[in-house]
Amino acid sequence: MVVVNGINRAVVRLIALVLIAAGVTGCVSTASVATFSKTNSTINFDEISKRDLNGDGSTWTFKGYTEYFVAIRSENEKSLMTLLTKAIENKGYSIKYSSEEGKAIIGERGLSLNEWGAVVGVYFKPRKDQYWVYVRVDVTQDITGGLNQNHAAAVISEICRLSRSCEMVQQ
């Protein structure tokens, strides 16, 4: 056993190896405001409205995002933007980008119990006498994954609570 300045050299190498491995593997998913679209034009609302966004029922996941979709009624786009902004802020996100013209709002929050950080994108589209609202939440997670929580559904729940007009999407 080689001891240098009272420290076992093998222990030092092991610690160094663990730190290097942690740095190399980093995060499985990294949430970034820059990866979110600044407009609803990149969102295929028709396709999304047909998907099952409720998840697979597992309790643990390595998937770094969740999404949800709903239709709501609002007087106009300005009042809808106000409502969506309030719902996002109520869920702990700070607004990083907002465009009524682009029909998009992006928020970000830092460290929480289950992830290093999260970014939410909320997009809407006028449809007949209602608005279709799509929410996607990306989370930054390390290689251990995390609890399977639908953060997007939580944002939608707050939107529905504030609007009192959520409906299932009617094609």
Side-chain angles (χ1 to χ4, degrees):
M1 176 184 333
V2 178
V3 177
V4 177
N5 294 332
I7 301 174
N8 182 328
R9 188 174 286 191
V11 171
V12 171
R13 285 185 181 162
L14 179 62
I15 291 171
L17 182 63
V18 168
L19 291 175
I20 290 169
V24 170
T25 58
C27 294
V28 170
S29 64
T30 304
S32 170
V33 171
T35 62
F36 278 75
S37 176
K38 304 288 192 265
T39 175
N40 76 346
S41 65
T42 61
I43 309 298
N44 185 340
F45 285 86
D46 292 317
E47 186 271 326
I48 292 170
S49 70
K50 297 173 185 167
R51 293 195 322 225
D52 178 11
L53 302 176
N54 289 315
D56 61 5
S58 63
T59 56
W60 201 257
T61 185
F62 294 96
K63 186 174 93 170
Y65 70 93
T66 57
E67 49 190 351
Y68 219 82
F69 190 82
V70 72
I72 65 172
R73 298 188 186 283
S74 182
E75 293 175 20
N76 54 49
E77 288 183 8
K78 186 173 178 87
S79 61
L80 179 62
M81 287 287 291
T82 301
L83 179 129
L84 296 175
T85 299
K86 178 140 180 70
I88 293 167
E89 290 173 337
N90 286 355
K91 296 312 285 179
Y93 295 89
S94 58
I95 304 300
K96 297 298 179 185
Y97 177 82
S98 179
S99 170
E100 187 174 332
E101 182 179 302
K103 298 172 179 44
I105 305 169
I106 301 170
E108 183 178 42
R109 72 176 180 203
L111 183 68
S112 69
L113 183 61
N114 193 35
E115 72 266 348
W116 293 99
V119 178
V120 62
V122 178
Y123 304 91
F124 64 92
K125 175 182 179 178
R127 181 72 176 212
K128 297 179 185 174
D129 60 344
Q130 59 191 6
Y131 291 91
W132 283 4
V133 178
Y134 169 68
V135 175
R136 179 183 172 110
V137 177
D138 286 7
V139 297
T140 298
Q141 288 181 320
D142 60 28
I143 60 172
T144 62
L147 290 172
N148 193 6
Q149 298 173 317
N150 193 330
H151 298 290
V155 173
I156 288 285
S157 292
E158 183 64 9
I159 291 169
C160 292
R161 186 185 73 76
L162 293 173
S163 73
R164 298 186 182 114
S165 69
C166 287
E167 303 171 12
M168 295 303 295
V169 174
Q170 304 294 320
Q171 290 281 28

